[in-house]
């Protein structure tokens, strides 16, 4: 089962079993002090029998949530007014349109939808829906899996889930999706992270045989992160720590927007990954696209990198450079903290990262903006691959031959097209971050996060959604 907010949460026929991580982890150590090794060895079987007991004593079965992880905020009760409701017909239509758009964008890069093999290759099973995993050999789409953690059909399906964002209602409250139920969250079209069921406390919503009834689902980040702090009180997690990734990405968006574009890099990062002077060992980064043939020889790759060096401003691209190519970068060896001053709007990786930054804010962001960011990321990646030293003609791409002047001119022209397409998406993302941070954390917590909680690892290179 998944771990969420320091809780192991498992729905078994609508019984919710909550095992606190600290208590469950300390249990074996206490047993080892008091019981024999044999009894300790049998502890997992006792737990399994207990779960089976719940399975067979429950009066009702929730088919959609059976054995599914549900965030602890799902049990919170909130009041609701008619002003904060989004009608069921409206949000279901928007959710379906989002799902269709995501599928259309990803379909060229998905594994065949008919069936799939397990890891051993001994069995093939029919898919339950249209979603399938990213084809790890597709050079355009495999970045989603390698860089942004979109793993398997489950990760792709998650991109197709919908959320309304913080489109506040007329009374200033977080919107409620009328008529949403557990089926919509566990196996359907809505995000599982951060949702909570909403119970009516107004007579127009009450059912005849109950004084309270579920009227829908909402995503309230202020409530969600307050719960996170309460549940993590033992390890000292504060709101400022939780706010720091969001504050960091807002600064990245602002920096990228304000910096001058650099249009003379010519996409040489892919070449720098394969740079290998005479006598040097094979660069580790050759493994990432090892299934693709090269369209140029090693001498041409080395000459392109050595001609005027490399002008790479993106920290996460430099992480994949061949060791001998790093000294050739005219911007130097950049660290994570340098990203806050170096990111610029013409960089294809910075524009691909709009998807990562959007996913970090999910589900408290309009899903339309996630789809917009995905569309930009795919366009940037197509440019990235076309300008690479690989032969990608089998995927329908004509090479941009940046090893000559005509190819470099073509790259700059297409680079500007991607940059202009990304600009309004970046501005909308910045607005969404402003709204989210102001509502969720407030000024004091935000200032604390800016001053004390800067990133210290490459964990910021991946999305979490």
């Amino acid at each position: 089962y998944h771990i969420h907010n320091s809780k192991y949460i498992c729905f078994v026929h609508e019984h919710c079993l909550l095992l606190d991580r600290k208590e469950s982890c300390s249990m074996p150590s206490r047993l080892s002090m008091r019981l024999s090794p044999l009894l300790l060895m049998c502890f997992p079987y006792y737990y399994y029998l207990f779960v089976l007991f719940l399975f067979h004593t429950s009066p009702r079965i929730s088919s959609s949530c059976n054995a599914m992880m549900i965030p602890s905020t799902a049990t919170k009760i909130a009041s609701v007014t008619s002003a904060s409701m989004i009608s069921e017909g409206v949000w279901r239509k928007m959710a379906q349109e989002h799902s269709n758009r995501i599928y259309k964008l990803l379909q060229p890069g998905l594994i065949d939808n008919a069936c799939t093999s397990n890891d051993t290759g001994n069995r093939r099973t029919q898919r339950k829906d249209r979603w399938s995993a990213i084809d790890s050999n597709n050079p355009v789409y495999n970045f989603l899996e390698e860089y942004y953690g979109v793993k398997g059909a489950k990760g792709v399906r998650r991109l197709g889930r919908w959320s309304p964002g913080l489109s506040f209602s007329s009374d200033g409250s977080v919107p409620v999706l009328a008529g949403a139920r557990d089926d919509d969250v566990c196996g359907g079209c809505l995000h599982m992270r951060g949702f909570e069921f909403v119970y009516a406390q107004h007579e127009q919503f009450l059912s005849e045989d109950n004084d309270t009834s579920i009227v829908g689902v909402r995503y309230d980040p202020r409530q969600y992160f307050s719960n996170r702090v309460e549940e993590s009180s033992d390890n000292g997690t504060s709101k400022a720590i939780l706010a720091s990734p969001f504050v960091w990405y807002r600064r990245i968006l602002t920096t990228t927007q304000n910096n001058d574009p650099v249009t003379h890099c010519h996409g040489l990062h892919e070449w720098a990954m394969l740079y290998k002077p005479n006598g040097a060992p094979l660069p580790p980064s050759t493994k990432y696209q090892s299934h693709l043939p090269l369209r140029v020889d090693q001498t041409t790759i080395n000459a392109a990198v050595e001609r005027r060096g490399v002008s790479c401003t993106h920290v996460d691209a430099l992480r994949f450079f061949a060791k001998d190519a790093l000294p050739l970068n005219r911007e130097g060896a950049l660290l994570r903290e340098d990203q806050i001053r170096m990111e610029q709007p013409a960089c294809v990786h910075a524009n691909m990262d709009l998807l990562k930054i959007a996913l970090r804010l999910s589900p408290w962001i309009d899903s339309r903006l996630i789809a917009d960011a995905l569309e930009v990321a795919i366009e940037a990646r197509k440019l990235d691959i076309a300008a690479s030293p690989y032969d990608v003609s089998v995927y329908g791409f004509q090479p941009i031959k940046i090893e000559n002047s005509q190819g470099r001119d073509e790259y700059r022209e297409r680079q500007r097209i991607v940059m202009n397409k990304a600009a309004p998406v970046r501005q909308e993302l910045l607005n969404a971050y402003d709204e989210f941070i102001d509502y969720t954390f407030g000024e004091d917590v935000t200032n604390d996060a800016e001053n004390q909680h800067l990133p210290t690892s490459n964990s910021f290179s991946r999305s979490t959604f």
Side-chain angles (χ1 to χ4, degrees):
Y1 298 107
H2 296 281
I3 301 172
H4 184 84
N5 294 349
S6 303
K7 300 286 184 181
Y8 295 91
I9 305 177
C10 169
F11 261 62
V12 185
H13 293 194
E14 293 188 344
H15 283 287
C16 190
L17 176 63
L18 304 180
L19 298 178
D20 185 89
R21 184 189 303 178
K22 180 178 179 181
E23 292 178 359
S24 63
C25 290
S26 61
M27 181 70 73
S29 62
R30 293 201 299 268
L31 284 173
S32 62
M33 295 172 59
R34 294 177 173 85
L35 303 177
S36 67
L38 179 61
L39 185 58
L40 180 61
M41 188 181 304
C42 294
F43 175 77
Y45 298 100
Y46 299 150
Y47 170 72
Y48 175 71
L49 290 174
F50 177 64
V51 173
L52 283 180
F53 170 76
L54 289 179
F55 234 82
H56 290 287
T57 56
S58 175
R60 293 189 301 151
I61 296 178
S62 177
S63 59
S64 61
C65 288
N66 187 28
M68 294 289 289
M69 184 277 292
I70 301 297
S72 56
T73 50
T75 60
K76 303 297 180 183
I77 297 178
S79 60
V80 64
T81 64
S82 58
S84 63
M85 303 287 283
I86 299 179
S87 68
E88 186 170 0
V90 170
W91 72 257
R92 287 196 185 279
K93 180 182 178 182
M94 296 174 70
Q96 187 60 53
E97 289 174 348
H98 170 72
S99 177
N100 292 341
R101 184 183 177 193
I102 293 293
Y103 184 75
K104 184 177 180 180
L105 287 170
L106 294 180
Q107 188 177 22
L110 297 182
I111 294 174
D112 177 26
N113 280 307
C115 55
T116 185
S117 301
N118 66 358
D119 292 338
T120 64
N122 295 326
R123 182 177 60 189
R124 297 174 73 82
T125 56
Q126 197 71 22
R127 297 192 186 282
K128 295 181 179 179
D129 56 29
R130 61 182 175 175
W131 302 106
S132 59
I134 296 290
D135 180 2
S136 58
N137 288 330
N138 189 309
V140 174
Y141 293 87
N142 61 7
F143 80 95
L144 292 168
E145 184 178 48
E146 186 64 41
Y147 298 158
Y148 300 151
V150 181
K151 302 291 187 180
K154 183 177 180 180
V156 175
R157 187 181 294 109
R158 198 178 300 148
L159 284 175
R161 289 178 179 262
W162 180 82
S163 60
L166 292 179
S167 53
F168 296 104
S169 59
S170 58
D171 63 354
S173 59
V174 175
V176 175
L177 308 180
R181 294 294 187 269
D182 57 352
D183 286 346
D184 298 308
V185 176
C186 298
C189 55
L190 299 179
H191 277 279
M192 294 178 67
R193 181 190 183 198
F195 87 96
E196 61 179 328
F197 290 125
V198 177
Y199 294 80
Q201 294 184 2
H202 191 283
E203 62 181 7
Q204 66 174 327
F205 297 115
L206 298 182
S207 60
E208 295 180 359
D209 57 349
N210 198 352
D211 57 350
T212 61
S213 58
I214 298 176
V215 296
V217 162
R218 74 173 184 179
Y219 296 87
D220 188 342
R222 183 184 293 169
Q223 182 69 54
Y224 175 81
F225 285 98
S226 294
N227 292 341
R228 286 281 304 274
V229 172
E230 292 177 7
E231 294 168 357
S232 306
S233 57
D234 292 345
N235 59 26
T237 299
S238 67
K239 269 196 172 184
I241 293 175
L242 296 176
S244 61
F246 303 103
V247 172
W248 170 261
Y249 281 123
R250 181 169 69 174
R251 293 176 68 181
I252 292 296
L253 290 168
T254 303
T255 295
T256 309
Q257 189 178 60
N258 293 337
N259 279 347
D260 293 331
V262 175
T263 58
H264 54 267
C265 72
H266 304 133
L268 278 170
H269 48 271
E270 289 284 350
W271 300 65
M273 291 169 65
L274 301 180
Y275 181 67
K276 183 180 177 296
N278 291 334
L282 191 68
S285 294
T286 57
K287 66 180 182 181
Y288 290 108
Q289 305 285 9
S290 59
H291 59 286
L292 295 174
L294 292 173
R295 64 174 181 83
V296 294
D297 57 22
Q298 188 66 53
T299 301
T300 304
I301 293 174
N302 291 349
V305 174
E306 294 169 353
R307 188 180 71 90
R308 290 187 178 179
V310 184
S311 297
C312 184
T313 59
H314 191 71
V315 174
D316 291 311
L318 283 171
R319 292 194 299 122
F320 296 95
F321 273 32
K323 182 179 179 181
D324 293 296
L326 285 171
L328 300 177
N329 186 35
R330 289 187 284 181
E331 306 298 339
L334 304 178
L335 302 175
R336 176 61 56 191
E337 51 266 30
D338 294 319
Q339 188 176 9
I340 206 69
R341 64 181 180 84
M342 295 297 297
E343 207 78 291
Q344 46 87 17
C347 175
V348 293
H349 285 100
N351 291 324
M352 287 165 59
D353 274 357
L354 290 177
L355 175 62
K356 175 182 68 177
I357 296 173
L359 292 176
R360 174 70 74 161
L361 204 57
S362 178
W364 304 288
I365 183 175
D366 187 343
S367 290
R368 175 193 57 79
L369 193 49
I370 289 179
D372 290 344
L374 175 61
E375 188 171 324
V376 169
I378 292 173
E379 288 301 311
R381 180 63 169 179
K382 287 178 179 178
L383 173 60
D384 193 22
I385 290 300
S388 75
Y390 297 106
D391 181 1
V392 291
S393 56
V394 69
Y395 293 94
F397 291 96
Q398 294 299 315
I400 301 176
K401 298 180 179 181
I402 61 171
E403 62 270 27
N404 60 51
S405 58
Q406 293 86 355
R408 291 190 287 273
D409 289 342
E410 181 183 356
Y411 183 89
R412 283 194 295 270
E413 181 180 351
R414 291 182 58 178
Q415 186 181 24
R416 290 189 181 96
I417 293 173
V418 173
M419 178 180 68
N420 292 334
K421 185 172 184 177
V425 178
R426 181 174 289 109
Q427 181 60 60
E428 282 197 72
L429 265 177
L430 183 56
N431 295 341
Y433 265 79
D434 285 339
E435 185 177 48
F436 168 82
I437 291 172
D438 291 345
Y439 172 79
T440 306
F441 300 111
E443 183 176 358
D444 292 340
V445 173
T446 302
N447 290 338
D448 187 19
E450 288 178 341
N451 296 329
Q452 300 182 31
H453 302 285
L454 294 178
T456 57
S457 72
N458 286 325
S459 61
F460 280 77
S461 66
R462 285 190 175 271
S463 63
T464 55
F465 75 107

